[in-house]
Amino acid sequence: MITVLLVDDQPLVRAGLRRILEPEGTFTIAGECDDGDQVAEAVARWRPDVVVMDVRMRRVDGAEATRRLAGAAPVLILTTFDDDDTVAAALGAGAAGFILKDAPGEDIVRAVTMVAEGGSWLDPQVAGPVLTAFRRVADRERRGRSAAARLTQREHDVLSQIARGATNAEAASALHISEATVKTHLGNILTKLDLRDRPAAIVYAHDHGLA
């Protein structure tokens, strides 16, 4: 029996997935979540064989929820034709499969089964656009990593502190340096990474795993 966690912010979609999977007799719905910020806790609680998750949700999208799982359960992403960049991000985060929300029921059954058994599934109708978007995201990340390589270790430390929400004073205290030195390092970070301001540096740090 394959245990499934359903994640979608639309109750009708979750109900529809139940109607497709449960009559097969090989699936048990372990639980449901209505947003991505509930997934990690639900997986720890129910230990599903597969997570079937919408790519777009109100608070935490499928890509970020997949990243937070860090491989704790395989993820099959539900998508539509206009989600290419978000789906590409989910692919980069480790999702094992992607299928259109309006795919035939038999395809959804096969996709869930394959991902639960350790395989992968990429709906042919989204394969081309998603892989193109993934290459675009990967290229952007490579450029970001190349820019980050120009930072000194101390600048990395300051950026990490700021990305965690620390003030200049808190960063200075944590790193045993002066506030003036933190400000100098931050100025160097913005220049080297070609960023506009502190919020942009915070976003950059989270996007490139420097937080």
Side-chain angles (χ1 to χ4, degrees):
M1 189 70 70
I2 295 172
T3 55
V4 182
L5 176 66
L6 301 178
V7 186
D8 197 295
D9 56 2
Q10 299 180 50
L12 285 177
V13 172
R14 299 198 304 272
L17 289 169
R18 273 186 177 272
R19 285 195 294 270
I20 290 171
L21 297 174
E22 287 185 326
E24 292 293 313
T26 56
F27 300 100
T28 296
I29 306 304
E32 298 184 10
C33 300
D34 61 17
D35 215 295
D37 55 1
Q38 304 165 355
V39 175
E41 182 179 349
V43 166
R45 178 181 179 184
W46 288 310
R47 302 290 181 185
D49 296 314
V50 59
V51 178
V52 180
M53 178 154 53
D54 187 14
V55 74
R56 285 185 177 175
M57 289 173 285
R58 292 184 298 274
R59 297 188 299 273
V60 173
D61 65 29
E64 174 60 17
T66 300
R67 186 190 65 78
R68 293 181 185 182
L69 279 179
V75 176
L76 174 66
I77 291 287
L78 298 169
T79 183
T80 60
F81 280 112
D82 58 350
D83 285 331
D84 294 344
D85 283 342
T86 308
V87 172
L91 180 61
F98 305 86
I99 190 163
L100 289 172
K101 280 190 170 183
D102 60 357
E106 57 267 27
D107 284 354
I108 292 175
V109 168
R110 284 198 294 268
V112 173
T113 301
M114 185 168 292
V115 171
E117 293 177 347
S120 59
W121 181 281
L122 185 55
D123 193 305
Q125 295 185 71
V126 297
V130 166
L131 292 176
T132 298
F134 178 67
R135 285 191 289 269
R136 185 166 62 246
V137 170
D139 286 344
R140 187 166 61 240
E141 290 179 348
R142 277 196 296 272
R143 290 194 297 271
R145 285 194 296 270
S146 177
R150 296 197 294 269
L151 300 181
T152 66
Q153 183 57 54
R154 183 57 83 187
E155 287 164 352
H156 271 284
D157 295 340
V158 169
L159 180 57
S160 178
Q161 289 291 322
I162 289 169
R164 294 172 187 155
T167 64
N168 287 351
E170 290 168 340
S173 176
L175 299 174
H176 306 292
I177 56 179
S178 69
E179 283 190 60
T181 301
V182 170
K183 290 178 182 178
T184 298
H185 285 314
L186 180 56
N188 291 339
I189 290 166
L190 297 180
T191 299
K192 289 181 178 181
L193 300 181
D194 193 24
L195 299 173
R196 183 179 62 255
D197 50 25
R198 187 189 193 98
I202 292 172
V203 171
Y204 180 97
H206 284 276
D207 282 349
H208 295 88
L210 302 176

